[in-house]
């Protein structure tokens, strides 16, 4: 992982003109793990649940234990690793004026948050200066750690070198934005099984 100067990054992203931080594109592709994955996890209603907010939540329809959620995340990351555009140069930044830091840290997140903060510090990412708002992701373990924190509430935006922008959500889904969403959908179908969510 390394820092990229914001202005340098903006000069490279002519292919991302369809995306605006201030207003999300009208078209997106929201996808999740296929039904068979959810059934194997014994949670076919995952995408109708409260997601990570169901953990230790007595008001959730199905209250989850932290170890259950971490098992779901493990399956999610195995599925996510198959995406072809993750092999291209990847960049990430917090959305708009947001920071890299997670402010509301639940007790069972502390270990992940500590690993995340250490990773940012080692890469000299921890800047409040807007000059360094972008990181380049160089290894799968870095993307996985960032994705964990996105799931926990850090508002991260990811950019793929293929002209794709995506979010990773607190329900273990992806929201994908691109110039031609239909083309991206057809390309993904050649590589990975998924379900389209609404």
């Amino acid at each position: 992982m390394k820092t990229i100067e914001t202005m340098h990054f903006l000069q490279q992203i002519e292919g991302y003109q369809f995306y605006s931080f201030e207003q999300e594109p009208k078209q997106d592709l929201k996808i999740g793990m296929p039904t068979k994955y959810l059934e194997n996890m014994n949670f076919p209603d995952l995408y109708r649940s409260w997601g990570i907010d169901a953990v230790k939540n007595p008001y959730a329809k199905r209250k989850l234990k932290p170890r259950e959620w971490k098992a779901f995340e493990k399956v999610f990351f195995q599925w996510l690793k198959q995406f072809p555009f993750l092999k291209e140069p990847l960049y990430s930044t917090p959305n708009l004026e947001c920071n890299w830091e997670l402010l509301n840290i639940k007790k069972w997140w502390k270990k992940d948050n500590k690993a995340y903060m250490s990773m940012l510090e080692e890469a000299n990412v921890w800047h409040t200066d807007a000059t360094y708002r972008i990181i380049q992701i160089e290894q799968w373990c870095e993307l996985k750690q960032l994705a964990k924190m996105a799931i926990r509430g850090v508002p991260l935006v990811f950019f793929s070198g293929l002209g794709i922008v995506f979010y990773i959500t607190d329900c273990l889904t992806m929201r994908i934005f691109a110039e031609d969403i239909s083309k991206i959908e057809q390309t993904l179908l050649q590589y990975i099984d998924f379900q389209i969510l609404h």
Side-chain angles (χ1 to χ4, degrees), residues 16 85-86 88-91 158-166:
Y16 299 99
F85 57 76
L86 300 184
E88 300 297 325
L90 284 175
Y91 306 91
F158 297 90
F159 297 81
S160 163
L162 288 181
I164 294 170
V165 179
F166 63 95

Side-chain angles (χ1 to χ4, degrees), residues 116 119 135 137 142-150 156:
Y116 166 72
M119 183 180 71
I135 56 171
I137 302 165
E142 296 169 349
L143 174 60
K144 184 177 177 181
Q145 192 64 52
L146 289 165
K148 278 188 178 183
M149 299 314 293
L156 296 176

Side-chain angles (χ1 to χ4, degrees), residues 118-148:
S118 295
M119 183 180 71
L120 294 181
E121 289 168 3
E122 285 174 14
N124 199 29
V125 173
W126 194 244
H127 291 278
T128 54
D129 185 348
T131 303
Y132 293 95
R133 289 279 297 174
I134 311 291
I135 56 171
Q136 182 172 343
I137 302 165
E138 299 177 301
Q139 299 180 51
W140 164 251
C141 61
E142 296 169 349
L143 174 60
K144 184 177 177 181
Q145 192 64 52
L146 289 165
K148 278 188 178 183

Side-chain angles (χ1 to χ4, degrees), residues 91-197:
Y91 306 91
S92 186
T93 182
N95 203 357
L96 290 176
E97 69 275 5
C98 299
N99 207 315
W100 294 96
E101 188 175 7
L102 183 64
L103 299 178
N104 182 22
I105 304 171
K106 297 184 180 180
K107 186 175 180 180
W108 68 277
W109 298 356
K110 286 186 177 180
K111 185 177 179 180
D112 288 320
N113 186 67
K114 184 177 180 180
Y116 166 72
M117 295 298 292
S118 295
M119 183 180 71
L120 294 181
E121 289 168 3
E122 285 174 14
N124 199 29
V125 173
W126 194 244
H127 291 278
T128 54
D129 185 348
T131 303
Y132 293 95
R133 289 279 297 174
I134 311 291
I135 56 171
Q136 182 172 343
I137 302 165
E138 299 177 301
Q139 299 180 51
W140 164 251
C141 61
E142 296 169 349
L143 174 60
K144 184 177 177 181
Q145 192 64 52
L146 289 165
K148 278 188 178 183
M149 299 314 293
I151 291 165
R152 284 151 180 72
V154 180
L156 296 176
V157 184
F158 297 90
F159 297 81
S160 163
L162 288 181
I164 294 170
V165 179
F166 63 95
Y167 304 159
I168 295 175
T169 79
D170 58 356
C171 287
L172 304 182
T173 67
M174 293 182 72
R175 287 188 66 198
I176 299 172
F177 307 91
E179 188 73 43
D180 188 339
I181 283 292
S182 297
K183 183 178 179 181
I184 296 300
E185 181 181 340
Q186 293 306 311
T187 300
L188 288 177
L189 285 169
Q190 299 175 36
Y191 293 94
I192 189 168
D193 192 11
F194 59 89
Q195 59 173 308
I196 296 175
L197 304 169

